Amino acid sequence: MTAIIALSLFGISSLFLGFWFSRKVLQSLTLVFLLVGMALTAADWNQELLWFGHMFRTTNTSINFSLLIQLAAFLVVAFSRGFGNDDEHTHPAEYYALMLFSVVGAIMMVSFDHMIMLFVGLEILSVAMYVLTGSDKRSLRANEASLKYFLMGAFATGILLFGITLVYGATRSFYISNIGTIIASTAPESTPNFLYIGVLLMTVGLLFKVSAAPFHFWTADVYDGAPSIFTMFMSTVVKTAGFAALYHIVGDVFGGIYSTWVMTIYFISMLTLIVGNVTAVYQQSVKRMLAYSSISHAGYMLMTVSAHQISSTSTILYYSLAYILATATSFAVFILVSDYQTGRKEKPENFQSFEGLAKNNPGLAFCFTISLLSLAGIPLTGGFWGKFFVFSDTFNRNMTYPIILAILMSAIGVYYYFKGIIAAYFKEGDIEKIEVPTLFKITLWVTTLATLVLGVYPSLVKSIF
Amino acid sequence: MNLLFILFFPLVVGLILLILKPAKAFIWSFAASLIELVAAGYVLSQMAESASPQSYLHDWIPEVGISFSLLADGISGILIGLCALLVPFIIATTARTDKANNAQYQGLILTMQTALMGAFLAKDAFLFYFFFEASLLPIYFLASIYGGENRQAISFKFFVYTLFGSLFLLIGLIYVYLRTPGQIHSADMEVLYQTAHGLTAQHQGYLFLAFFIAFAIKMPIFPFHTWQPDTYTTSPTQGTMLLSGIMLKMGTYGVIRLVLPMFPLGMATWGSTAMILSIVGVIYGSIIAIQQKDAKRLLAYSSFAHVGLISAGMLTQSVEGIQGALYQMLSHGINVVGLFFVIDLIERRTKSRELAQLGGITQASYVLSVCFVILSLGSVALPLTNGFIGEFLLLKSVFDHQMTLGIIAGITIILGAVYTLRLIQKSMFGNVSRITKDFEDLSAAEKWVLIPLCALVILGGIFPNVVLNFSEASVVQLAQLVK
């Protein structure tokens, strides 16, 4: 696992490179760093290796997740446009370095074999995110968001750590591969009860990170307050890492005691679906709508976690990929439009800002539409197959009620996602042609086309996952 | 390979139109639809000659056993023919209007054709579902961009309503699919039939409901029809033609393809309820049609009434019922496209669809009124028109199935005559009104659309056997599966 070493070094070096290079160069360098990281990650393909005193395990699954995470970070960096031209208040070198560090943390979260490694990874990821959330230091909302995120995050990490302690106490091991065998070989009567409490606490700690209800209260405010580009980072990188870790813990390690945690996840997934979708309907701001949509997608993914099938890992991977592509695209268009409307409209982040987008910017409107269709799970887009695999897994476990609920919620989802499409295509507005940088435009089209390719030929990636 | 061509050719031209926006969009799309018609005609004639279905199979998502499997047999052949036949007419109705060279408009029609063809050709159930839902997108954009008053809200309601219904179909399909044998399941319809037959009566009942609701919303069947009149009225004429002429048949085709052969026990429990609902729709739609003041809305309700009878006929599970349903799908498609075109012609000239304001058109345009009468008679099911064959078979099957229902359904012929003749009378005959007094006669392009359609109405009434023989073998095979 040379990727995390390389990415850490890259992160440190980009702090220094900021002395000499312009923001554009830094952006390109970071993209190159991430490409190198992906290449190094992929180099371990098909060999199961243990690193760092057996604390870190690379498997094909963990490599897939690491690649997804770096892909998401790549997209965010490509959409960052060097963070504008404001030299006094933005510090691109630091931002890129922090993003690289949090990618390192995320990779650790998906490849840990030792619970302390999970904790360390989660902290590296989170601390970088607390800083990035508040990076717009003059904005009151960003400051509030950062503080809120930090306080809530610190609690969640504390809960996770408490859970780890209890599990360690019950099994006398930090190594998750040992924990699995110990639990399997111990008779249920002689297993101490606090093991189950530990499992639940660990689950709760991670559920916080993936913003599942009822641990979602921070999400909307933090997503809304953070600079949009870091919101994109949070809703893609952090979420994927959180889900990979969650499924690794509950699915792989505690898969033997499925019955103790399944009901929790089961109800939380249903609650998350309801809260995310119903609240999203009432949002006026596109950013907040996307925040609640991110909660609702956590609900769908939790359905497959609670179904706990052999195919669940592959489903989570596929769903995450489709979700990352669609979310990154929609946020990218959102960033362009809200930047354009800042100063022109009173509330540049509302749906009204998108009115008339298709007239002079047909490309942007198209990309935005495809991404929203994918989030809504309409055929022709990757999101449809994501939902399909989730439903299929859930049905395999004969869980009928979540599916019926998920159908209702999908229909509600169509309602609020289409508000964006309707605003862009069918409403009158006065948006002139928006200037889009070349790299930004290329990335936007690549993500849009990738969403369509995933929708038409899912086998392309399904065969790898 | 021929099937692949039929499926993707409209899409390719449609995308060219949507992306490159060539100036002569009408020539492009009309030529494409004619080539498609020739290709489909070639495939169908080959099938009729060799009396064997054509198929195409390719891997799609082998990891989960979903294949790209196409099949054109006697049943889907009729629908493919219908789709290929109607789209040139639909495109031709745009001739010399502001939409003729609107590349986006024409492109959406052609993409829609691919989605419809895909649904009719699919042999893999998820491929069917894929196209079934994908077809919503082009029609949604057609209706919301080019529709009439309040178009956004109405087409959005239509979109959410039908999407919601099809989600039930999706989970129903997944449920059966997960019970197919093998480590990797299969979604091939044949395999699904076999698997579904092994389910208990209770499960089949639930599944029947899930499937039927999805298709009932699409058709629509009472009480799931509330989206339909508004959507038909508000959509641009070509959108309405696509919706009522072809897209509605996706619902009826879905019932024949997926519901009937899969859930015989479910049919036993819920079939009669579904049939009663269909017949309620027939009567209800007809009565409301009689009250309508807007000609387009009147046709929307008449279409609702017709599809109810189609649904009731095929739910009898008899060979006659299914044959009649297939034949009536074909004739209804032809008639309804013609009728909506006539209404559009009147609206173009008078800017009105209000029956009270029209009248006396026969004095201005003889051809228009003759064609309108022929098409209407087809819709009323007068002997020697195509509507008669289908409706006769359907009524006979319902009558054989249950006499009371047959008698009630038979009222449709009287009610249908009432609203159709009222439509003719109010618009064509009577005194010339203020807005119809300068009514221009039909142009050559308009005649070229209407007269062939009328010819088809009469030909369909005289030579039904061409079509009935074509589908018979497949329908008999299907009916055996049902028993």
Side-chain angles (χ1 to χ4, degrees), chain A residues 275-289:
Chain A
V275 167
N277 283 297
V278 174
T279 324
V281 169
Y282 295 101
Q283 303 306 316
Q284 299 299 318
S285 149
V286 177
K287 206 171 170 185
R288 280 186 93 87
M289 182 275 279

Side-chain angles (χ1 to χ4, degrees), chain B residues 284-472:
Chain B
Y284 178 82
S286 307
I287 293 174
I288 296 185
I290 295 173
Q291 321 277 334
Q292 291 309 307
K293 299 188 179 77
D294 179 331
K296 207 172 172 187
R297 217 175 164 81
L298 187 152
L299 285 181
Y301 277 107
S302 94
S303 174
F304 169 47
H306 276 114
V307 81
L309 188 62
I310 297 180
S311 162
M314 63 197 180
L315 286 171
T316 61
Q317 297 159 284
S318 60
V319 175
E320 280 130 14
I322 299 170
Q323 282 276 53
L326 283 171
Y327 199 80
Q328 182 68 352
M329 284 185 218
L330 192 63
S331 7
H332 176 257
I334 292 167
N335 297 343
V336 89
V337 165
L339 288 171
F340 275 119
F341 185 48
V342 171
I343 303 299
D344 188 44
L345 288 176
I346 296 174
E347 198 186 351
R348 277 184 209 167
R349 286 167 169 76
T350 64
K351 311 273 175 280
S352 169
R353 297 189 306 246
E354 289 290 315
L355 287 177
Q357 296 179 3
L358 301 173
I361 292 175
T362 178
Q363 292 166 25
S365 174
Y366 184 67
V367 182
L368 180 67
S369 46
V370 170
C371 289
F372 193 29
V373 170
I374 295 177
L375 290 164
S376 307
L377 293 180
S379 169
V380 178
L382 201 77
L384 283 187
T385 62
N386 58 1
F388 173 72
I389 314 292
E391 213 143 284
F392 176 76
L393 285 171
L394 289 169
L395 283 174
K396 177 174 182 297
S397 67
V398 177
F399 203 83
D400 287 346
H401 187 76
Q402 205 178 12
M403 203 161 71
T404 346
L405 281 179
I407 292 168
I408 297 172
I411 303 175
T412 176
I413 294 196
I414 303 165
L415 292 175
V418 174
Y419 62 73
T420 317
L421 294 177
R422 180 171 163 269
L423 175 65
I424 297 178
Q425 189 196 358
K426 293 263 180 186
S427 57
M428 293 292 150
F429 302 122
N431 294 328
V432 177
S433 77
R434 184 176 51 80
I435 53 172
T436 54
K437 80 175 176 285
D438 304 319
F439 201 88
E440 278 174 49
D441 201 357
L442 295 186
S443 68
E446 290 161 348
K447 281 184 191 160
W448 271 106
V449 179
L450 268 185
I451 294 173
L453 279 173
C454 294
L456 285 173
V457 171
I458 294 170
L459 284 177
I462 303 175
F463 303 110
N465 273 345
V466 181
V467 176
L468 293 175
N469 288 343
F470 180 82
S471 57
E472 188 165 16

Side-chain angles (χ1 to χ4, degrees), chain B residues 238-302:
Chain B
Q238 288 72 28
T240 315
M241 290 172 177
L242 284 172
L243 276 167
S244 59
I246 316 177
M247 197 170 169
L248 153 180
K249 274 78 183 182
M250 268 181 4
T252 43
Y253 174 76
V255 173
I256 295 182
R257 232 341 159 224
L258 287 171
V259 179
L260 297 184
M262 268 168 102
F263 311 117
L265 297 177
M267 274 295 297
T269 329
W270 293 103
S272 50
T273 317
M275 228 163 119
I276 290 169
L277 284 179
S278 308
I279 287 175
V280 168
V282 174
I283 305 298
Y284 178 82
S286 307
I287 293 174
I288 296 185
I290 295 173
Q291 321 277 334
Q292 291 309 307
K293 299 188 179 77
D294 179 331
K296 207 172 172 187
R297 217 175 164 81
L298 187 152
L299 285 181
Y301 277 107
S302 94

Side-chain angles (χ1 to χ4, degrees), chain B residues 79-99:
Chain B
L79 277 305
I80 294 161
L82 172 77
C83 186
L85 179 70
L86 288 185
V87 172
F89 282 109
I90 293 174
I91 290 174
T93 58
T94 64
R96 295 182 200 281
T97 65
D98 53 340
K99 286 170 189 135

